[in-house]
């Protein structure tokens, strides 16, 4: 290796995640809308500001918080399922936006709060009219395609064979693993089309699945913040059941590093079921979703599956390394951590990670109380990296630095 | 029972990094009817259509962030420089006659903002307000992506490029990371082609030296 890999260069090409992109844009937008003021203007705005502050205090006294977007019946926007026959289901929302669902269309919210509304369209054809310059970021997702909404009117069709986004007014930003170049901007009268993502999970139910007679598990649970919200009157009382093997959009959410939402969208035991037949790439993605949403036991499932089922894959060593770090860190299983780090090294961990793995191995054996193994690992480190940057850290474990059987 | 006063390695930044950086493309083809070109976006933004400004920002924010990320001291500085770059670009966009040159034009503005930041830092350093010099690294770029292996390579690359002057780092980033031609790199940095080539050679040599040393023993 005499130069950085293409994956590294690719990571450097896109260093920002969506939250940062949004935040910086707000700054740009505000500065574009701000004109320099003369002293008279500053005085006038000072008076206006004072009046606004008084108004805000009054509003706080009366408890006028914004909260989630609500439907006409006062309930937070949650799950909607249009009847399979009849007219479109049109809903006006509390923030001035509106949603219209064609017959048979199902949507569900992933988040609904002061600053963000995230909706998954499970199937059908929905038209969204989002109020421009509103306080919330609107995100729609359908089958691997994520749509970021600036104030606009657009259609989102989640069909059996394709996903279609058509903008009628304003601008949307379409992104996700199914989008060429990872993202596209759509202006008025522009349309984006993508063939439907086909999950590689076999149609037969895994052994742990519910019996055939049982109702299918909800595939798109709502956010925790909505858990106490009552079901909307006259609408679907529970999140609609998906007709697909796996919920859609988890990969897109994971690609956007929206791990808690991706985890929720997989549903109960979703990772366990998906891991039974996923390939290495998907197992890594599932492990990330679980690990970075705080579900370490499920991350362990996915990573162990890589190490056991794909030991000859070049990525198996990285999976073992990640697992070892997880054991040593949040899971507190030092001996397992030591074993897994040894495994990572024996599987041929990339050179860039090898030094870190060795010093962690010393740490793992040390914390597990295995002085001899810690010493051997320290000697191995010094042998492989005589001038390594962690030399001073491992030195206390070397044979000439401590009496046998004693800790440094 | 041996005990360590503290973990040998502090909790690193890799803990919240995904294990891979790129989703496997699961859709073989997708189409956008008439995606707006740079020239069209510039024309629309010049005529006051605000959505076109946001579209330009969306299209190039990662590009600008990648250029300024290594040169800024902190994530706050990175955000400020990106913001300055786009505000300045939108204020001057009517002066951009060739809309197709938008990408290089934005890079020039970004580099000028980076240089301004560096001068300001140097002034503060001389006043004893803030340490002088370049001490930022790519690992400090907000939300840098990648699993542990990618992060390790980024750290190595960062050490390599830390050994060359800022303009050589910028040249390397523009040419090797973004594939800009050496002629365009020269335009962005405001120097001759020969100077650009010398800077590239210096940066390439450091990168090769560091990555060559990293081979497993």
């Amino acid at each position: 290796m005499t130069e950085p890999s293409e994956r590294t260069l690719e990571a450097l090409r896109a260093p920002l995640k969506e939250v940062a992109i949004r935040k910086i844009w707000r700054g740009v937008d505000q500065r574009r809308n701000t004109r320099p003021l003369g002293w008279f203007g500053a005085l006038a705005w000072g008076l206006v500001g004072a009046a606004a502050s008084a108004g805000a205090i009054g509003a706080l006294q009366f408890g006028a918080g914004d909260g989630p977007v609500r439907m006409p019946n006062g309930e937070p926007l949650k799950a909607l399922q249009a009847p399979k026959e009849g007219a479109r289901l049109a809903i006006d929302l509390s923030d001035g936006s509106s949603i219209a669902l064609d017959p048979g269309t199902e949507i569900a919210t992933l988040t609904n709060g002061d600053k963000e509304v995230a909706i998954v369209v499970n199937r059908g054809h929905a038209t969204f009219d989002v109020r421009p310059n509103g306080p919330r970021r609107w995100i729609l997702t359908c089958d691997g395609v994520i749509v970021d909404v600036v104030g606009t009117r657009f259609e989102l069709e989640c069909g059996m064979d394709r996903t279609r986004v058509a903008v009628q007014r304003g601008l949307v930003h379409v992104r996700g693993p199914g989008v060429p170049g990872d993202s596209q901007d759509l202006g008025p009268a522009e349309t984006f089309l993508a063939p439907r993502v086909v999950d590689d999970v076999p149609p037969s139910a895994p052994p742990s699945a519910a019996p055939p007679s049982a109702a299918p598990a909800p595939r798109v649970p709502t956010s925790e913040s909505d858990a106490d919200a009552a079901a909307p009157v006259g609408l679907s009382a529970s999140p609609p059941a998906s007709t697909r093997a796996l919920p859609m959009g988890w990969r897109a959410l994971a690609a956007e590093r929206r791990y808690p939402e991706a985890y929720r969208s997989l549903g109960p035991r979703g990772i366990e079921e998906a891991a039974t037949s996923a390939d290495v790439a998907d197992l890594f993605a599932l492990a990330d979703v679980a690990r970075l949403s705080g579900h370490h036991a499920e991350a362990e499932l996915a990573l162990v599956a890589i190490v056991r089922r794909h030991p000859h894959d070049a990525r198996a060593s990285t999976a073992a390394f990640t697992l070892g770090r997880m054991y040593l860190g949040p899971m507190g299983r030092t001996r397992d951590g030591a074993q897994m780090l040894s495994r990572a090294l024996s599987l041929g961990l990339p050179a860039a990670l090898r030094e870190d793995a060795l010093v962690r191995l010393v740490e793992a054996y040390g914390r597990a109380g295995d002085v001899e193994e810690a010493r051997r690992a320290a000697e191995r480190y010094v042998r492989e990296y005589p001038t390594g940057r962690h030399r001073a850290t491992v030195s206390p474990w070397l044979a000439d630095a401590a009496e046998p059987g004693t800790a440094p | 029972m041996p005990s360590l006063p503290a973990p040998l390695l502090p909790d690193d930044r890799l803990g919240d990094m995904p294990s891979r950086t790129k989703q496997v493309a699961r859709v073989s083809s997708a189409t956008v009817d008439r995606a707006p070109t740079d020239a069209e976006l510039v024309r629309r933004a010049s005529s006051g259509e605000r959505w076109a400004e946001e579209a330009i920002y969306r299209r190039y924010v990662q590009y600008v962030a990648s250029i300024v990320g290594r040169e800024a001291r902190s994530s706050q500085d990175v955000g400020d420089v990106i913001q300055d770059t786009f505000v300045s670009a939108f204020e001057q966009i009517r002066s951009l006659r060739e809309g197709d040159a938008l990408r290089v034009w934005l890079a020039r503005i970004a580099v000028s903002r980076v240089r301004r930041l560096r001068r300001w830092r140097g002034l503060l350093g001389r006043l004893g307000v803030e340490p002088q010099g370049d001490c930022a690294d790519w690992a400090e770029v907000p939300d840098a992506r990648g699993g542990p292996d990618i992060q390790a390579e980024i750290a190595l690359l960062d050490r390599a490029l830390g050994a060359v002057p800022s303009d050589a780092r910028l040249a390397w980033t523009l040419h090797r990371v973004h594939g800009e031609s050496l002629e365009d790199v020269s335009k962005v940095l405001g120097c001759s082609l020969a100077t650009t080539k010398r800077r590239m050679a210096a940066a390439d040599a450091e990168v090769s030296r560091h990555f060559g040393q990293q081979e497993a023993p």
Side-chain angles (χ1 to χ4, degrees), chain A residues 250-402:
Chain A
W250 75 267
R251 288 188 189 85
L253 291 164
E256 290 300 314
R257 299 202 289 170
R258 301 166 67 88
Y259 298 111
E261 287 158 87
Y263 181 84
R264 286 198 292 273
S265 79
L266 277 158
R269 307 190 67 170
I271 288 183
E272 185 182 342
E273 290 172 13
T276 57
S277 56
D279 60 16
V280 175
D282 271 357
L283 284 169
F284 260 120
L286 289 166
D288 283 344
V289 168
R291 182 168 62 92
L292 300 173
S293 63
H295 301 85
H296 296 107
E298 284 156 285
E300 181 188 8
L301 270 176
L303 292 168
V304 165
I306 296 172
V307 176
R308 287 192 181 158
R309 297 207 309 251
H310 308 278
H312 303 298
D313 189 287
R315 292 161 288 184
S317 62
T318 308
F321 178 62
T322 306
L323 193 50
R325 289 173 57 237
M326 210 167 69
Y327 284 147
L328 279 182
M331 299 184 83
R333 291 160 55 181
T334 48
R335 195 162 286 279
D336 290 340
Q339 283 179 359
M340 202 46 73
L341 288 170
S342 287
R343 185 82 183 269
L345 289 164
S346 66
L347 284 170
L349 198 60
L353 290 175
R354 192 172 175 83
E355 186 180 355
D356 274 359
L358 269 172
V359 78
R360 285 175 192 278
L361 189 61
V362 178
E363 178 194 359
Y365 281 128
R367 281 168 50 188
D370 195 335
V371 179
E372 279 308 311
E373 286 298 333
R375 181 162 297 147
R376 281 197 199 98
E379 287 167 357
R380 186 176 173 189
Y381 177 90
V382 172
R383 206 166 46 246
E384 294 192 12
Y385 300 95
T387 58
R389 58 201 159 111
H390 300 299
R391 170 74 190 245
T393 313
V394 303
S395 290
W397 292 93
L398 295 172
D400 56 358

Side-chain angles (χ1 to χ4, degrees), chain B residues 40-74:
Chain B
E40 189 175 354
L41 287 177
V42 168
R43 188 177 56 74
R44 289 187 183 192
S46 299
S47 61
E49 292 184 51
R50 296 299 296 272
W51 72 265
E53 288 186 2
E54 183 161 0
I56 289 170
Y57 170 82
R58 279 281 181 184
R59 189 170 289 181
Y60 288 113
V61 64
Q62 296 281 21
Y63 175 62
V64 170
S66 172
I67 293 169
V68 307
R70 174 61 180 77
E71 304 303 315
R73 181 176 293 280
S74 64

